Amino acid sequence: MLCHWLYHFTGVELFDGRLFRAGTAAMLSIILVFILMPKYIRLLQGLDATSDFDKDGKTKSPPIMGGLLLVIVVEVVSVLVCDMNNYTIPTLAVLLLFSAVGAIDDIAKVRAKRLIALGKLKAADYMDKADGISSTLRLFLYFLISFVVAIFCYKFIPELKGDLTVPFFPIHVFQIHLPNWIFVGFMTFVIAAAANGTNFTDGLDSLVSVPILTSMVFVGLVAYVSGNFIFSQYLHVPYLPGCDELFPLAMSIAGALLAYLWFNSPPAEIYMGDAGSVGFGAAIGIMFILVQAGLFLPIVCIIILAEACSVFLQISWFKFTKKTKGTGQRLFLCAPLHHHYQKKWEGRFSSKPLMNSKIVWRMHLVSVFALIVSMVIFFGIR
């Protein structure tokens, strides 16, 4: 809105340029997070907003809900920098609504810890409450919001008619087309699954931040190219007028996450919490669908996919073996996947923080490799 107003008021075309607005969005997000986060951390510390216990009774665990500030910053910056159209409005709505669900979950966790401190809840029962609101309710809200937004997008975005760009194939050679309600169902599933998978990934300091960052870089560049007729024709990608407004939005999220890493890098001063991980995960899901790159999501977000699949496989295999053999068996030492490596590498390092850093950095590198591979496939090989 601000850049749009400056363009019409001054007539300077620079203010209407996507690259300029994307850079402005990233810088504004970075500056705002750097300014606001220290005060926000002190506020949460004063409210004792943590879901963890202090094992030695002296050290304070970092507060959760850091992602809530990031979401607010992204929403404000996007309104200032992006034009509100049929691509940006549903994306911002999904980000806000899923973040609200995550925030409720975070508040429920903090409340459970306080009940234990007051003696109204047994510590042994804490793990039953550690997920905040019930998983059934969370999944219901995920799918409900996703379904409503999917219907809106399908009805009001002319270019969104069920076409999916297939890796390794130019669009004039082969595309998958999902008709009507099948596509709406697919879109609903992708948004909800991305939100849930990102939530599982948020388990170690900075672990979830880099996969979100690489996802935003990919989907932002795809949106920029797809919204430009000349670039889209040259690179043989679908031309989606108005889609390039997702580029500044994606860079706003990337900028916020970069600044957040300053505070979340080990040892973390604040955790993202469900308010951030669930919201940004849902944003990833809808943005990949809107740029018709839904089938690239498993490649770009391979770490998020691996974390989610490890949980699904662990639960499914345990239930299956318990039913067929009488005793539940596990595929992984622990799930999600990063906990499996924590168990597997226990004792191999001089300290637990060193082990966690090794796990996190290797997963970060995989995310960067996946981004490079996806860019080569999407923009080059096809």
Side-chain angles (χ1 to χ4, degrees):
M1 290 292 187
L2 176 62
C3 289
H4 187 71
W5 178 83
L6 288 172
Y7 169 64
H8 285 281
F9 183 76
T10 64
V12 178
E13 294 187 2
L14 175 67
F15 295 121
D16 192 45
R18 302 297 184 276
L19 287 173
F20 172 80
R21 291 195 284 119
T24 301
M27 289 305 301
L28 279 176
S29 292
I30 291 172
I31 292 170
L32 287 174
V33 172
F34 268 123
I35 292 174
L36 297 176
M37 187 61 79
K39 299 177 182 178
Y40 185 62
I41 292 174
R42 289 194 293 271
L43 172 64
L44 293 178
Q45 287 173 337
L47 297 173
D48 193 24
T50 175
S51 62
D52 296 332
F53 290 106
D54 307 323
K55 295 181 179 179
D56 57 9
K58 298 178 181 179
T59 58
K60 283 289 185 181
S61 299
I64 59 174
M65 295 182 68
L68 183 60
L69 177 64
L70 303 182
V71 170
I72 293 172
V73 167
V74 168
E75 294 280 344
V76 171
V77 170
S78 297
V79 169
L80 290 175
V81 175
C82 303
D83 286 342
M84 295 296 105
N85 63 14
N86 290 340
Y87 287 93
T88 54
I89 290 175
T91 302
L92 290 175
V94 161
L95 175 61
L96 186 62
L97 292 172
F98 272 81
S99 179
V101 175
I104 294 171
D105 202 44
D106 286 334
I107 292 171
K109 294 176 184 177
V110 173
R111 181 177 178 273
K113 197 202 76 165
R114 290 181 178 175
L115 289 175
I116 292 174
L118 294 172
K120 296 180 180 180
L121 182 67
K122 295 181 180 179
D125 299 329
Y126 179 67
M127 287 310 298
D128 294 331
K129 307 289 184 181
D131 288 331
I133 59 178
S134 70
S135 58
T136 303
L137 177 57
R138 278 188 289 118
L139 288 174
F140 171 75
L141 292 173
Y142 291 171
F143 279 96
L144 177 62
I145 297 170
S146 302
F147 181 66
V148 172
V149 173
I151 293 176
F152 172 86
C153 293
Y154 189 77
K155 290 286 186 182
F156 295 101
I157 301 180
E159 294 78 21
L160 197 67
K161 293 302 178 186
D163 294 324
L164 298 175
T165 302
V166 181
F168 301 104
F169 289 92
I171 56 175
H172 63 275
V173 174
F174 179 63
Q175 262 191 316
I176 293 178
H177 177 76
L178 300 178
N180 301 332
W181 294 108
I182 297 179
F183 178 74
V184 171
F186 173 76
M187 186 174 182
T188 300
F189 172 78
V190 169
I191 297 172
N196 211 34
T198 308
N199 189 23
F200 287 136
T201 310
D202 186 25
L204 294 175
D205 298 350
S206 82
L207 179 58
V208 74
S209 302
V210 172
I212 298 174
L213 267 170
T214 54
S215 300
M216 288 301 111
V217 171
F218 178 83
V219 78
L221 290 175
V222 171
Y224 178 68
V225 171
S226 299
N228 185 294
F229 179 77
I230 296 175
F231 291 163
S232 63
Q233 294 299 303
Y234 178 74
L235 293 171
H236 301 288
V237 301
Y239 173 54
L240 308 171
C243 176
D244 46 357
E245 287 301 324
L246 290 176
F247 182 36
L249 196 160
M251 293 304 100
S252 174
I253 296 176
L257 265 294
L258 278 173
Y260 169 72
L261 279 170
W262 183 273
F263 302 95
N264 184 242
S265 56
E269 299 172 54
I270 190 169
Y271 297 143
M272 182 175 290
D274 292 357
S277 61
V278 173
F280 288 128
I284 290 172
I286 189 173
M287 291 172 79
F288 269 78
I289 293 295
L290 291 179
V291 299
Q292 296 186 14
L295 296 182
F296 282 82
L297 195 150
I299 305 174
V300 183
C301 304
I302 187 170
I303 291 298
I304 295 174
L305 178 68
E307 294 275 14
C309 286
S310 67
V311 174
F312 174 77
L313 291 172
Q314 184 86 317
I315 295 173
S316 299
W317 183 249
F318 185 86
K319 290 182 177 180
F320 175 76
T321 53
K322 187 174 183 179
K323 184 178 180 180
T324 57
K325 299 181 180 180
T327 304
Q329 298 177 358
R330 292 175 172 83
L331 288 173
F332 303 94
L333 297 176
C334 192
L337 189 61
H338 58 269
H339 290 321
H340 167 79
Y341 284 107
Q342 283 181 311
K343 294 284 187 181
K344 183 177 180 180
W345 291 351
E346 194 171 5
R348 286 179 52 183
F349 296 84
S350 58
S351 67
K352 189 174 181 179
L354 284 176
M355 177 185 66
N356 290 343
S357 293
K358 177 68 73 174
I359 295 171
V360 167
W361 273 101
R362 285 188 173 178
M363 289 189 171
H364 286 348
L365 290 173
V366 171
S367 293
V368 174
F369 294 154
L371 171 64
I372 296 171
V373 170
S374 302
M375 298 274 285
V376 170
I377 296 174
F378 193 91
F379 294 112
I381 291 179
R382 293 187 306 108

